[in-house]
Amino acid sequence: MAEVRLDRVRKSFGSFEAVKGVDVTIGDSEFLVVVGPSGCGKSTLLRLIAGLEELSGGDITISGRLVNDVEPKDRDIAMVFQNYALYPHMTVFDNMAYGLKIRRLPKAEIRERVGRAAAILQIESLLERQPRQLSGGQRQRVAMGRAIVRNPSVFLFDEPLSNLDAKLRVEMRVEIRKLHNTLKTTSVYVTHDQVEAMTLADRIVIMNGGIAEQIGTPLDLYERPSSAFVAGFIGSPPMNLVEGEIGQGAKSVVLAGGTELSLNSPLPQGWGGRSVTVGIRPERLRLDDSKADLAISLGVELIERHGADTVIHGVLPNRERGEVIVRLNETPTIAQTDRLNVKARTADIHLFDAETGKRLELEKAA
Amino acid sequence: MLKRVLFRNRWLPYALLFPQLLITLFFFIWPASQALVQSFYATDPFGLSSRFVGFAEYTRLLADPLYHNAVLRTLVFTFFTTSLALAAGLFLAVYADRVIRGQNTYRTLLIWPYAVAPAVAGVLWLFLFHPTYGALALVIRQTGVNWNPLLNGTHAMTLVIVASAWKQVSYNFVFFLAGLQAIPRSLIEAAAIDGASTFRRFWTIVFPLLSPTLFFLIVINVVYSFFETFGVIHAVTRGGPGGATTILVYKVYADGFVGLDIGSSAAQSVILMALVIGLTMFQFRYLERRVQYN
Amino acid sequence: MVDRSRTLRITTHVLLVLGVLVIGFPIYYAFVAATLPLELATRVPMPLVPGDHLMDNVEQAWRRGDLGLQLFNSIVMALGITAGKIAISIISAFAIVYFRFPGRMLAFWIIFVTLMLPVEVRIVPTYEMAVNVFTPVNRLLEVLSVPVAIDPLGYTISMRLQWNILDSYFGLTLPLIASATATFLFRQFFLTIPDQLAEAAKIDGAGPLRFFWDVLLPMSRTNIAALAVILFVYGWNQYLWPLLITTDREMMTAVIGITRLMPSPDDAPEWNVAMAGALIVLIPPVIVVVLLQRWFVKGLVEEEK
């Protein structure tokens, strides 16, 4: 059982609070991804688990053992770093074996463990090389190999793919997930890339300003973002977020620029006139040629034809800040200067409080 | 700039610093503070008694024509040594930078005087300039000058300047060449496309970009001229003839160890130390500023 | 490429060759003198073609200057300074960069003020230190008036420690070993090493000394080599300090010794022997610099940063 529990974990650097109380339990053999913009505290959180930073408050337990004051080497963890942190003067073999040598494992066992890890990662032919003779992808594998040989209870990944080019990043992403499916080691993975988060994670923690904004499965976060921040962070292209107001009868929302969207289910009466942020995912908008009142009318600014889909950048009437992106699976014949009518189902409309950014539940309200 | 990652250990850092701190305290801090203390005392030549005299040694020094002479000689010596060594180093580096093949060969052939001890450099040049046997002396005499560095102060000064500068050219050459090679080719090519002549390109593009190196080298060369050239002076002229090549550092030595005037020598040491510390601070501030703008 | 014209290329080479010749002339002239018998070396003008008396002159210089012993002293001094400086600087740089501890800034400044305080500016008091290294300790004992032993009659006997390092290898090396330059070089280098490397080592289970020995030291190899070249030359070429503290001929270094081969106006003008001696003395550091040129240049240029 390797369960990692974070209990009201806090970390400040001087007067700056990097992590402001995070609670999360990473289940045995779970793959948890911590995602967020730079400076949100995600790396600090990981370094706290590793023991590379000292806690300012709260508790961390690994496999039921309180590790607040335990040295990194005694936490039974292994870490993969963004810049790989391979010892430049040692061969691949020595890099992988270093931790085992320090732990005074017998030579034969070291050889066997390194050999096994190298086989899993397909780097057997590189064992005698030095890091500088390796490509970025190969270094990445060695860094993972160094973590695997130790056979730890927990893997910690600190943006391990961000130094790779786009193509390699996708390949390694798949491999990391496959590796996890094989080894089933509890993993905490930090990234700023929401695609990595969505594809790798069993569960995601999305952080913002030192706080865990939402914790849930990738689909949870996609379908029911708990705040405008999460909504804007998850998904590519990101969710359209437009300022608006709930209509006087609480049966519709009025977007900035005047477009009114009526809702199938009425909202609580008291909500009439309330300022909200209206969120609609680009891929949930559909073309609507019926010229119905409920459609959103957009001026087309730019059309990107990706082949598989088409992304249209449009603007709401009379508003400069009301940009709306539409993603279509078809390739419609529209010209740059056209106006475009699109609509969305009520179920695809997300409402967030304009001030707090918190989600307003339509279903609950109804 | 600080490391984020640290090791924690109560006594280890002190143990690691101990040897250097011990030697620094014993051979730097203590002697420097002793120099300061001694400069306020007048000691008799046998070191048997001393009495507190306050700033008397300093006022005596500042009124002493011999000290004025040494200051003046030092300025002349430093100015010419530094200029000569810098100009020659820059000149050679600019041309070596243009060479595509054979650059390393030139570097090897120009670098080695760095390894020659100042005293030995002095001996070599004394022979070249020797009034009776020196090849260069012979050439100079043919121009009608009655060359004799053993008797003529100006000639002696010229000799020690040339010997001191000669040794330092290599050092300057290495730095200028590295500085030149660090200038992106594209900048020079862009200037060429803009129609700037070679000469203009050098003064408007290359030289300004080289100025941090130049500044660093000026400080290094001044410190070199002030102190390390002691070997040249002591081996070649012993400060003579008639004090014509007595630079400050030589005077500290001569007053302290030959004249046994400890108080005066100490006061001179303190003045020199203040000068060096000033130079160091100046350079450090400059370097810091440069790091910020990088 | 800019300026590829043929004439310019030729001018460049001509000027450089000229520069090489001017820079090299003193050595060539000394070499020629060292190969000539006395009567040719003192002829005016001296011939510029080498003769066949090189070995004679070298032997003369070697014997008269006692160069065997002096070269040995120079080697001990140069190597002692090189090894000592590198050893104490690298560990103090390690302490300053990788630890936080009370007094860290104080230690940093104590070392820093020595950055450009050459031995030349504080010769008299440093010499007094060499006469008795324990002078500051004695002074401290006096100030504290520590009664070391009190004899039965009630007289206080004060203790004085004495360690004279004049005319010794300790004296030649110790005062020149501490310098901020090398410490700063290592500090700068350590600061460029990514933090993650130390973190990886921590997770691998390495303590500070293990990290230093297994990771930092091997990574510093080129820096150490570069510094070694510079320090060897520095140590070999020391003049003022050995001049002060060696009175015993047995302890004299070669650079000092060679100036004593110079003919004084009253002697026979044996410049051929003096030049042979000068060549012998300048050859070891020149060889080190030329052979290890790549490292040496790297080391020098790093100094600026």
Side-chain angles (χ1 to χ4, degrees):
Chain A
M1 268 296 284
E3 187 190 72
V4 180
R5 288 176 63 104
L6 307 189
D7 190 11
R8 300 184 318 279
V9 163
R10 286 193 305 106
K11 175 67 189 176
S12 349
F13 297 98
S15 60
F16 172 69
E17 259 199 299
V19 177
K20 302 175 185 167
V22 170
D23 287 289
V24 61
T25 301
I26 303 131
D28 183 37
S29 74
E30 185 180 15
F31 199 112
L32 183 90
V33 175
V34 184
V35 69
S38 61
C40 70
K42 58 185 188 298
S43 279
T44 309
L45 192 71
L46 192 77
R47 295 165 56 79
L48 286 167
I49 301 173
L52 295 171
E53 302 282 359
E54 236 173 307
L55 282 169
S56 304
D59 290 322
I60 297 177
T61 44
I62 297 177
S63 312
R65 180 169 68 124
L66 188 69
V67 294
N68 291 7
D69 298 317
V70 176
E71 288 287 313
K73 64 182 164 77
D74 301 322
R75 291 192 181 196
D76 200 14
I77 48 142
M79 188 154 166
V80 179
F81 294 91
Q82 179 177 355
N83 62 4
Y84 321 130
L86 300 178
Y87 308 118
H89 58 289
M90 294 186 195
T91 62
V92 168
F93 180 91
D94 288 335
N95 261 287
M96 289 167 68
Y98 187 58
L100 304 179
K101 280 182 188 161
I102 289 180
R103 285 177 171 74
R104 296 175 196 280
L105 260 66
K107 278 218 164 80
E109 188 179 349
I110 294 179
R111 201 171 298 281
E112 197 231 296
R113 282 214 205 177
V114 173
R116 205 163 358 129
I120 293 173
L121 293 160
Q122 297 164 344
I123 50 172
E124 292 134 303
S125 59
L126 308 177
L127 286 177
E128 292 314 311
R129 299 230 193 130
Q130 298 226 321
R132 66 186 138 80
Q133 299 167 301
L134 304 178
S135 69
Q138 289 169 333
R139 284 179 206 185
Q140 178 60 58
R141 282 168 199 270
V142 176
M144 298 211 310
R146 181 166 67 181
I148 291 173
V149 287
R150 296 257 313 280
N151 194 19
S153 320
V154 184
F155 281 140
L156 304 173
F157 296 90
D158 189 8
E159 309 220 18
L161 303 182
S162 53
N163 281 7
L164 299 177
D165 64 47
K167 187 164 170 287
L168 213 51
R169 200 150 55 212
V170 175
E171 275 176 39
M172 287 307 292
R173 198 172 77 202
V174 174
E175 284 211 31
I176 289 179
R177 184 64 218 199
K178 281 186 187 161
L179 197 66
H180 181 259
N181 292 347
T182 319
L183 300 175
K184 298 209 182 334
T185 307
T186 309
S187 300
V188 183
Y189 185 109
V190 161
T191 178
H192 62 269
D193 181 346
Q194 57 96 14
V195 180
E196 263 173 42
M198 295 294 282
T199 49
L200 280 171
D202 292 327
R203 273 194 312 154
I204 294 177
V205 176
I206 178 158
M207 288 191 66
N208 184 27
I211 296 169
E213 284 260 342
Q214 189 172 2
I215 303 174
T217 65
L219 282 183
D220 270 351
L221 267 62
Y222 179 81
E223 297 289 358
R224 299 174 54 79
S226 70
S227 66
F229 173 80
V230 176
F233 199 84
I234 299 287
S236 169
M239 182 186 280
N240 293 303
L241 294 170
V242 181
E243 289 166 36
E245 214 179 82
I246 293 174
Q248 282 311 320
K251 283 179 191 164
S252 64
V253 276
V254 183
L255 297 186
T259 309
E260 188 167 3
L261 299 173
S262 70
L263 303 169
N264 286 345
S265 43
L267 297 167
Q269 276 303 318
W271 286 18
R274 185 173 184 170
S275 292
V276 291
T277 303
V278 183
I280 308 170
R281 294 213 174 268
E283 52 272 34
R284 295 290 163 85
L285 284 167
R286 289 286 158 265
L287 283 183
D288 176 47
D289 294 328
S290 62
K291 310 268 183 219
D293 292 347
L294 302 178
I296 306 166
S297 172
L298 297 174
V300 177
E301 286 209 312
L302 180 70
I303 301 165
E304 297 175 336
R305 296 178 202 279
H306 295 191
D309 52 15
T310 305
V311 174
I312 301 163
H313 296 254
V315 278
L316 292 169
N318 315 325
R319 277 300 277 210
E320 282 178 358
R321 279 186 53 233
E323 190 183 71
V324 170
I325 297 172
V326 184
R327 186 171 140 200
L328 301 170
N329 285 331
E330 65 256 55
T331 45
T333 49
I334 352 166
Q336 195 95 357
T337 51
D338 280 354
R339 290 200 74 76
L340 197 66
N341 287 324
V342 291
K343 66 176 182 185
R345 294 183 305 143
T346 303
D348 291 330
I349 296 174
H350 305 261
L351 293 181
F352 305 98
D353 187 278
E355 260 173 39
T356 62
K358 290 290 169 226
R359 179 182 186 83
L360 302 173
E361 291 290 0
L362 273 78
E363 294 85 345
K364 246 183 245 165
Chain B
M1 194 174 157
L2 288 174
K3 284 264 174 204
R4 239 186 356 177
V5 194
L6 302 165
F7 289 100
R8 249 163 292 166
N9 197 304
R10 198 175 288 276
W11 55 269
L12 187 59
Y14 298 105
L16 293 169
L17 277 166
F18 183 73
Q20 175 145 25
L21 283 181
L22 194 70
I23 293 186
T24 304
L25 285 172
F26 272 60
F27 291 105
F28 283 75
I29 307 294
W30 175 265
S33 59
Q34 279 308 103
L36 197 63
V37 170
Q38 284 170 358
S39 71
F40 293 116
Y41 286 86
T43 316
D44 71 88
F46 304 102
L48 296 176
S49 68
S50 65
R51 62 195 170 83
F52 185 76
V53 292
F55 285 95
E57 290 291 355
Y58 292 95
T59 46
R60 189 161 66 99
L61 257 189
L62 295 179
D64 183 359
L66 285 176
Y67 193 68
H68 296 169
N69 179 60
V71 171
L72 185 72
R73 301 291 165 184
T74 307
L75 292 179
V76 170
F77 174 75
T78 303
F79 176 77
F80 283 105
T81 303
T82 301
S83 318
L84 193 61
L86 284 173
L90 180 60
F91 178 84
L92 291 170
V94 165
Y95 282 97
D97 185 43
R98 292 204 186 139
V99 170
I100 297 142
R101 231 179 313 162
Q103 199 175 56
N104 284 341
T105 315
Y106 283 122
R107 199 177 67 184
T108 307
L109 290 172
L110 289 169
I111 214 172
W112 57 266
Y114 171 84
V116 178
V120 176
V123 172
L124 295 178
W125 281 92
L126 176 58
F127 182 46
L128 271 170
F129 275 128
H130 193 278
T132 320
Y133 311 107
L136 290 181
L138 200 68
V139 176
I140 297 170
R141 274 167 189 273
Q142 261 152 19
T143 65
V145 178
N146 185 20
W147 177 261
N148 192 342
L150 302 184
L151 296 175
N152 181 310
T154 314
H155 296 174
M157 184 56 105
T158 312
L159 168 55
V160 291
I161 286 171
V162 171
S164 306
W166 173 75
K167 188 203 133 45
Q168 197 65 0
V169 169
S170 316
Y171 187 89
N172 298 339
F173 169 78
V174 168
F175 275 92
F176 278 131
L177 188 59
L180 286 167
Q181 284 167 341
I183 297 174
R185 282 276 157 222
S186 56
L187 269 179
I188 296 163
E189 283 164 7
I193 289 165
D194 284 341
S197 67
T198 310
F199 184 75
R200 212 191 151 87
R201 277 205 303 272
F202 180 79
W203 287 110
T204 56
I205 313 280
V206 177
F207 195 71
L209 288 172
L210 216 51
S211 64
T213 307
L214 179 66
F215 177 82
F216 168 81
L217 284 177
I218 288 176
V219 174
I220 292 290
N221 277 267
V222 166
V223 171
Y224 164 79
S225 307
F226 261 73
F227 303 112
E228 286 168 57
T229 51
F230 176 86
V232 180
I233 308 268
H234 187 263
V236 177
T237 65
R238 307 254 157 159
T245 54
T246 299
I247 59 169
L248 287 168
V249 63
Y250 191 81
K251 195 166 162 50
V252 173
Y253 162 81
D255 288 353
F257 284 88
V258 185
L260 294 179
D261 186 349
I262 305 296
S264 172
S265 172
Q268 294 178 39
S269 287
V270 172
I271 293 172
L272 276 182
M273 277 191 270
L275 208 76
V276 180
I277 289 171
L279 261 174
T280 312
M281 297 289 224
F282 179 57
Q283 185 188 26
F284 190 66
R285 284 190 63 162
Y286 175 83
L287 283 177
E288 250 186 345
R289 209 179 60 206
R290 194 173 60 142
V291 170
Q292 272 176 9
Y293 289 121
N294 257 350
Chain C
M1 269 306 298
V2 185
D3 289 335
R4 248 206 154 148
S5 74
R6 206 179 144 74
T7 35
L8 200 86
R9 218 166 61 214
I10 292 168
T11 326
T12 302
H13 282 282
V14 167
L15 284 170
L16 281 172
V17 169
L18 222 61
V20 168
L21 292 180
V22 170
I23 293 286
F25 185 68
I27 294 289
Y28 179 74
Y29 194 69
F31 171 71
V32 174
T35 61
L36 296 175
L38 183 61
E39 63 274 19
L40 278 178
T42 52
R43 182 189 288 175
V44 181
M46 191 189 88
L48 284 176
V49 184
D52 56 3
H53 275 63
L54 180 64
M55 286 335 281
D56 288 351
N57 293 332
V58 165
E59 201 200 312
Q60 281 277 326
W62 190 275
R63 197 165 37 77
R64 243 188 273 166
D66 206 358
L67 286 183
L69 182 67
Q70 293 181 1
L71 286 173
F72 177 77
N73 290 342
S74 282
I75 286 174
V76 171
M77 180 182 182
L79 290 180
I81 289 174
T82 306
K85 252 190 181 178
I86 289 175
I88 68 168
S89 320
I90 197 165
I91 57 175
S92 53
F94 175 56
I96 284 177
V97 172
Y98 281 96
F99 292 88
R100 291 289 168 282
F101 51 92
R104 177 174 164 274
M105 283 318 281
L106 180 70
F108 183 81
W109 280 102
I110 288 176
I111 295 170
F112 179 73
V113 292
T114 65
L115 188 58
M116 270 204 191
L117 221 53
V119 73
E120 283 85 351
V121 305
R122 51 191 161 82
I123 44 176
V124 176
T126 313
Y127 178 83
E128 286 168 357
M129 277 297 292
V131 174
N132 181 10
V133 177
F134 288 120
T135 306
V137 181
N138 288 335
R139 196 65 63 83
L140 193 70
L141 291 176
E142 266 170 47
V143 170
L144 299 174
S145 55
V146 181
V148 176
I150 297 173
D151 76 18
L153 294 173
Y155 293 105
T156 302
I157 301 165
S158 63
M159 181 178 73
R160 283 185 61 84
L161 300 169
Q162 172 77 28
W163 182 26
N164 182 319
I165 57 170
L166 297 179
D167 280 317
S168 74
Y169 289 129
F170 276 119
L172 284 173
T173 49
L174 270 188
L176 300 171
I177 273 180
S179 114
T181 332
T183 312
F184 268 69
L185 238 82
F186 283 122
R187 172 180 172 266
Q188 297 304 88
F189 173 64
F190 291 165
L191 286 175
T192 65
I193 292 178
D195 284 354
Q196 280 85 349
L197 223 51
E199 293 182 341
K202 267 184 166 183
I203 290 175
D204 272 339
L209 287 178
R210 183 112 203 197
F211 170 71
F212 177 75
W213 192 256
D214 285 349
V215 180
L216 223 44
L217 207 56
M219 280 182 76
S220 312
R221 269 183 307 210
T222 41
N223 291 65
I224 291 174
L227 209 55
V229 179
I230 293 171
L231 293 178
F232 182 83
V233 172
Y234 167 84
W236 186 274
N237 290 348
Q238 280 303 313
Y239 187 83
L240 176 56
W241 186 247
L243 179 72
L244 291 183
I245 70 151
T246 56
T247 44
D248 187 350
R249 274 191 74 89
E250 296 280 299
M251 291 306 299
M252 207 168 278
T253 61
V255 174
I256 307 276
I258 209 62
T259 59
R260 316 223 155 167
L261 280 179
M262 277 198 311
S264 70
D266 311 324
D267 299 335
E270 290 180 287
W271 283 97
N272 50 345
V273 176
M275 289 300 126
L279 287 181
I280 296 171
V281 174
L282 69 79
I283 279 171
V286 166
I287 286 179
V288 168
V289 163
V290 169
L291 288 186
L292 304 176
Q293 194 189 149
R294 197 164 54 87
W295 281 328
F296 160 73
V297 170
K298 177 179 152 31
L300 264 193
V301 174
E302 298 266 304
E303 255 177 47
E304 189 192 359
K305 288 173 187 153

